Amino acid sequence: MRVKGNKILAVKSDRDLIKLGRRLATEIRKVLIREMKSTVRVEEPREVKATHKIDQLACRIIAKETQGLPIRIIIEGTEPINSEVVSPRLFIDPIDGSRNWERQIGDPAFAMAFSAKEGEMLFEDLSFCFVEGLRSGDQYFTLRGKAWYKSKLLNQKAQKLPKRKAVKLSESLAYIKPGYSQAAKVLDFAGPLMLACKDIRAIDNSAAELCELARGATDLIIEARDLSDFHNLLAYPILLATGGVVTDLKGNDLGKTKAIPEKIYDYMAFSSSTLRDEALVVLHRSKRAD
């Protein structure tokens, strides 16, 4: 990464992207903590995808740090930065989980993914990802097609994440998202899986949850609320590198799906294709019974 003064001039490799991600996450965290100290009461927007004040502050940091960088930068909910550049493209969700940050729960994250593909892009064209938990400080990233994890708590060097071993559905931990008044819709779709798996939980921080799935902290994720957009899936390359699978609600591979920043994507994520197949059997049986 070429830097002159405080200005980033070029990014040429995965390692440069990791440095950029760390720098942006650090600067965003500083501003968020400063804002948290000065805020007495949080006023939550009514709309699920509304822009929070902290999102706006984070976007200003990204714009300042990346101005003139020869990469088109697409941030959730704002106009692209360096819009004169067609490709490559850097997709950023500055605070995945703004509401949770304001409530001081979960692990809201800075998420960033890269694609060198020109024109129409599929999810499998995302070739790099960096995620940093803004509360935990944990980092996940891809490097030469492998996924890596660095624990802030343990203060370890980054560890390469191995391929996940197959887990039976009956022994699996599931993150199933019922929030934002969508419990009825989620129960209608995912109820059979909730009865079949061993444990259920979710804090609703998509980037962190997909990374936790990659490192083995959970086994499957269901998002069936018609609420998550493309930026909620920026951690896709990390999960893919550990043998994980992401599908639509019919079980079709999301890797072959067009990746459109403004589009909403329901999805299922699994630690292995074996677990995916078992889950699909359960879902199909329940539909036949209906």
Side-chain angles (χ1 to χ4, degrees):
M1 182 166 69
R2 277 206 304 133
V3 180
K4 186 176 181 181
N6 287 324
K7 191 169 183 180
I8 301 166
L9 301 178
V11 171
K12 296 183 177 180
S13 68
D14 283 0
R15 291 189 183 278
D16 288 342
L17 287 167
I18 293 166
K19 291 177 184 176
L20 175 61
R22 285 173 173 163
R23 178 168 175 164
L24 293 176
T26 297
E27 294 305 311
I28 288 170
R29 182 186 289 104
K30 287 178 184 176
V31 170
L32 295 186
I33 292 172
R34 191 183 312 138
E35 180 67 15
M36 183 181 289
K37 288 178 179 177
S38 66
T39 301
V40 177
R41 185 169 177 269
V42 173
E43 296 290 344
E44 286 196 350
R46 292 189 179 186
E47 286 148 19
V48 174
K49 288 294 180 180
T51 301
H52 298 229
K53 180 182 178 182
I54 57 174
D55 295 311
Q56 296 170 343
L57 294 172
C59 288
R60 287 177 201 160
I61 291 170
I62 295 168
K64 178 182 176 182
E65 294 284 341
T66 61
Q67 185 179 16
L69 190 67
I71 297 175
R72 185 180 181 90
I73 299 171
I74 301 172
I75 306 175
E76 184 180 26
T78 69
E79 293 298 315
I81 298 172
N82 307 332
S83 56
E84 71 281 358
V85 180
V86 176
S87 67
R89 286 170 286 181
L90 194 62
F91 302 93
I92 298 178
D93 191 345
I95 312 166
D96 175 34
S98 302
R99 292 176 188 242
N100 280 352
W101 175 269
E102 291 171 339
R103 292 170 175 168
Q104 300 184 46
I105 60 174
D107 197 12
F110 168 86
M112 182 178 89
F114 175 84
S115 174
K117 180 77 181 292
E118 293 186 24
E120 185 176 279
M121 184 184 73
L122 306 179
F123 275 94
E124 65 183 17
D125 293 321
L126 293 172
S127 59
F128 169 87
C129 177
F130 175 87
V131 173
E132 181 168 335
L134 293 169
R135 281 175 62 80
S136 69
D138 288 354
Q139 294 177 0
Y140 301 82
F141 53 86
T142 54
L143 180 62
R144 293 191 290 273
K146 304 296 183 181
W148 296 75
Y149 166 61
K150 185 176 182 181
S151 169
K152 174 81 170 182
L153 181 66
L154 299 179
N155 195 28
Q156 294 175 329
K157 291 183 179 180
Q159 308 288 320
K160 185 167 67 175
L161 293 175
K163 295 282 186 180
R164 292 287 312 273
K165 294 181 180 179
V167 176
K168 292 182 179 179
L169 185 60
S170 61
E171 293 299 318
S172 66
L173 167 62
Y175 285 175
I176 298 179
K177 305 165 182 272
Y180 297 109
S181 303
Q182 298 300 314
K185 183 185 292 186
V186 175
L187 286 169
D188 182 58
F189 175 79
L193 290 179
M194 296 172 76
L195 295 174
C197 65
K198 185 176 183 178
D199 197 0
I200 305 162
R201 57 192 70 189
I203 299 296
D204 221 333
N205 294 140
S206 297
E209 289 172 348
L210 286 166
C211 290
E212 288 166 0
L213 177 54
R215 72 172 168 86
T218 190
D219 303 299
L220 67 99
I221 299 171
I222 305 294
E223 170 57 283
R225 299 172 297 180
D226 199 29
L227 289 178
S228 283
D229 62 24
F230 161 80
H231 285 84
N232 288 119
L233 284 159
L234 294 185
Y236 175 83
I238 291 173
L239 180 58
L240 197 68
T242 61
V245 182
V246 186
T247 75
D248 63 19
L249 297 189
K250 294 181 180 179
N252 301 310
D253 182 9
L254 205 69
K256 303 297 182 183
T257 302
K258 291 181 183 178
I260 303 170
E262 303 80 17
K263 188 173 178 182
I264 299 296
Y265 294 90
D266 277 342
Y267 62 89
M268 300 187 289
F270 304 93
S271 58
S272 68
S273 57
T274 302
L275 184 58
R276 173 203 60 197
D277 293 345
E278 188 179 357
L280 289 175
V281 168
V282 171
L283 291 172
H284 291 160
R285 278 177 184 163
S286 68
K287 293 189 184 303
R288 286 200 300 270
D290 292 342

